[in-house]
Amino acid sequence: MEKIKTRWDITKNWQLFFPIFGVVLVLLTAYLIARRLLHLFDLNNASFEWLFTFGIGIVLYYFMIRFFLWCFKKLAHKWPVEQRWEMIAIFIVFAITGSVAGKLAGPFTDLLGIQKGNVSGWIFWTIRILLVFPIYQVLLICFGWLFGQFRFFWNFEKKMLKRMGLGFLFP
C-alpha cells in the first residue's frame, strides 16, 4: 500500500479512493467489452461462456491499464496538477462525462420529437451529436466539481471554447 501511496503522491487515506475507483472502473469496462464480444460472436450460452469472458476481460484489463499509464506519462507535463492522484480523478471525470452525455442525448432528441424512424439518419445523428456537445460541457464542470477538480476543468473549458472561437463567452 505504501508503494501505491508513494507512486501516486497520496498523502491522505481518502485519496486512495481515486486509484481504487479507477481500477474498479477499468475492470468493469473490460468485463462489459468482453460480454459484448461474447454476444457479437454469438458465443453466449456456450459451455465456455464464463471462461471466455474472464480470459478476454483480463487481457483487455491489462492492455487498458498499460494504455492509461502511458497516457499519464504523456500528460503529466501538460496538465497542471499538484499530485499524481489528481490525474486519475481527471481521467475518471472524462470517462463518466462522456458516457453520461452520450446517454442523455437520446432523451433530449426524443424530447425534441426527433427519432430515427421519422427523420433521415443524417439529420438524426447530426442533431444528436450537436446536442452532446453542450451537454458534455455542462457535465464536465459538474463532474469535475464532484471529484474535486473544478479549477482544472473550468480552465480546460475556457481554453477549449477559446480555441473554437467561442472565447467571447468568457471575458
Side-chain angles (χ1 to χ4, degrees):
M1 191 60 77
E2 288 303 317
K3 281 185 179 181
I4 293 173
K5 285 184 174 184
T6 304
R7 179 182 176 135
W8 294 103
D9 299 330
I10 293 174
T11 56
K12 296 180 175 75
N13 285 338
W14 66 267
Q15 295 166 345
L16 280 169
F17 167 78
F18 295 106
I20 292 169
F21 190 54
V23 165
V24 169
L25 286 178
V26 173
L27 274 171
L28 177 65
T29 303
Y31 169 76
L32 292 174
I33 292 172
R35 293 296 295 174
R36 287 280 181 170
L37 289 174
L38 184 77
H39 294 293
L40 180 70
F41 295 120
D42 201 25
L43 297 173
N44 50 332
N45 298 328
S47 58
F48 59 92
E49 177 178 345
W50 285 104
L51 182 64
F52 176 87
T53 303
F54 181 76
I56 297 296
I58 293 299
V59 169
L60 287 170
Y61 173 77
Y62 172 77
F63 284 113
M64 284 191 289
I65 289 290
R66 298 289 300 189
F67 173 72
F68 292 137
L69 291 174
W70 176 78
C71 288
F72 287 146
K73 285 181 187 175
K74 293 289 183 187
L75 295 171
H77 304 292
K78 286 185 154 198
W79 288 353
V81 293
E82 295 173 16
Q83 297 169 319
R84 294 187 69 198
W85 64 266
E86 291 177 298
M87 291 189 66
I88 299 171
I90 291 168
F91 268 64
I92 291 170
V93 169
F94 277 124
I96 292 173
T97 302
S99 300
V100 172
K103 288 288 185 185
L104 286 178
F108 275 104
T109 54
D110 289 343
L111 187 67
L112 294 172
I114 301 167
Q115 297 166 343
K116 266 188 182 178
N118 60 0
V119 295
S120 165
W122 289 99
I123 295 171
F124 173 79
W125 286 109
T126 302
I127 291 173
R128 186 162 173 159
I129 290 169
L130 289 174
L131 278 173
V132 167
F133 181 73
I135 294 169
Y136 183 82
Q137 304 310 313
V138 171
L139 289 177
L140 196 61
I141 297 296
C142 294
F143 284 120
W145 175 76
L146 280 174
F147 281 85
Q149 299 300 316
F150 177 80
R151 187 175 356 116
F152 174 84
F153 285 104
W154 184 248
N155 292 332
F156 183 84
E157 284 288 331
K158 289 190 292 187
K159 185 176 178 182
M160 181 173 54
L161 291 174
K162 283 179 185 174
R163 286 183 178 174
M164 295 175 71
L166 300 172
F168 63 89
L169 295 172
F170 300 103

